[in-house]
Amino acid sequence: QAEGTITFAAATTTQNISITTVNDGVSEADESFKITISNPNLAEVTLGTSVHTAIIKNDDVPGSIVYYVSSQNGNDGNAGTSAGTGNAFATIGAAAAVAGASDIVYVGPGTYSENVSPANSGTAADPIYYYADPSAVNNTGDTPGDVIISATGNVVDISGLSYVVLDGFTITGGTNGILAQNAASNVTFRNLNVHTNTTGIRLGNGPSSTVTAVEIENSVIHDNTGTAIHIDRSSDATSIQNNLVY
C-alpha cells in the first residue's frame, strides 16, 4: 500500500497518477488494484471518499511456461518453473529438454559446463526463448555475473530446430561455439559473446540439408582459433547485422 498527494492547480480538473508495474513472461489472469482519493484540503471541495479500480491486463503468450536455471541455487530434480533454491533447474540442458513453443528459459549467472542441445522447436507465432539473466532480475537470489556456457565439442547445437532464440550468453571452449545444421531454420542468435572456440558459429553441412533464415545480431565473436562465422553453401537467407568480429 502506498500513499501520496495529488495537487490540482487553479482551473485544473484532471491529474495523472503513475503506477510502475514489473514485467514478466508468465501468462496469468488480469490483475487489479484500487485507487482511493480522499481528504481534500479545501473546505469548499466536497469529495468524500472516491474509490476506483484499475486493471493490469495480461500481455503474455497464453499457455507459455517460464523455466528458471540457476548454477548457484538450482537442482535438476526441481520443477524449474520458479526461481530460487528448491525451485530452479541447475543445468540449461534440463530446461532445454522440456521447453516447447512459446516457453521462456531464464538462465542465471554462472558457468555452465555442459553441451546444450535443445529438444524442441518453437513455431512462427510462438518461438522458444533462451535468455541469459546476468543481473539476476528474474533469477532472484543469484549473485549477478556473466552467463557462460563452456564445453568441448559443439557447445550449443540447434541442428534440425526451428524458431529458437538464444540471447545474451557467453559461449566458449568448443570445436563449434554454435552449430546449426540439418535443416535448422528461423533461429536467432542475439547479444552473444562467442570466443575461444575453433569455429565461433557454423551454419550448414551440405546441399542436401539447407539451413535457412538464421539471424546473427548484436554479438561479439572474437578470438576463435579458426573461423568466426562459417556459412556453408547450403545456408540460405542468413542475416548478419551489427556484430563485432575480430
Side-chain angles (χ1 to χ4, degrees):
Q1 180 176 332
E3 297 182 358
T5 300
I6 305 172
T7 301
F8 289 82
T12 300
T13 58
T14 63
Q15 286 286 18
N16 293 323
I17 301 174
S18 297
I19 305 294
T20 301
T21 61
V22 178
N23 188 38
D24 61 26
V26 180
S27 182
E28 53 198 332
D30 294 343
E31 298 178 357
S32 65
F33 60 92
K34 295 184 182 299
I35 300 172
T36 301
I37 303 174
S38 61
N39 300 321
N41 62 6
L42 293 177
E44 60 268 29
V45 176
T46 301
L47 178 66
T49 299
S50 179
V51 180
H52 302 271
T53 300
I55 305 296
I56 303 173
K57 299 289 291 183
N58 173 63
D59 63 355
D60 298 302
V61 179
S64 64
I65 300 173
V66 179
Y67 294 102
Y68 299 84
V69 181
S70 170
S71 66
Q72 302 174 30
N73 298 302
N75 186 302
D76 284 351
N78 295 332
T81 51
S82 57
T85 303
N87 300 305
F89 290 132
T91 66
I92 303 170
V98 295
S102 83
D103 291 348
I104 298 170
V105 178
Y106 290 119
V107 182
T111 298
Y112 297 83
S113 299
E114 57 178 302
N115 299 94
V116 177
S117 299
N120 301 308
S121 294
T123 66
D126 297 313
I128 304 174
Y129 296 93
Y130 293 86
Y131 289 119
D133 183 21
S135 299
V137 172
N138 297 285
N139 290 70
T140 53
D142 285 4
T143 301
D146 291 339
V147 184
I148 303 167
I149 310 174
S150 178
T152 59
N154 301 318
V155 184
V156 177
D157 188 349
I158 53 86
S159 297
L161 299 182
S162 301
Y163 300 104
V164 173
V165 178
L166 193 69
D167 192 320
F169 296 88
T170 294
I171 299 172
T172 186
T175 303
N176 296 295
I178 300 174
L179 180 65
Q181 295 182 334
N182 302 332
S185 67
N186 297 284
V187 294
T188 300
F189 307 127
R190 180 189 301 142
N191 302 317
L192 303 178
N193 179 7
V194 183
H195 71 86
T196 323
N197 305 281
T198 303
T199 298
I201 301 174
R202 182 182 181 91
L203 309 179
N205 61 327
S208 62
S209 182
T210 302
V211 172
T212 57
V214 174
E215 297 182 3
I216 305 170
E217 57 188 41
N218 301 324
S219 296
V220 181
I221 305 162
H222 65 101
D223 295 308
N224 297 284
T225 58
T227 306
I229 303 173
H230 177 102
I231 303 176
D232 193 89
R233 61 196 176 106
S234 63
S235 299
D236 186 33
T238 303
S239 173
I240 302 175
Q241 301 185 65
N242 300 319
N243 300 286
L244 176 61
V245 178
Y246 62 91

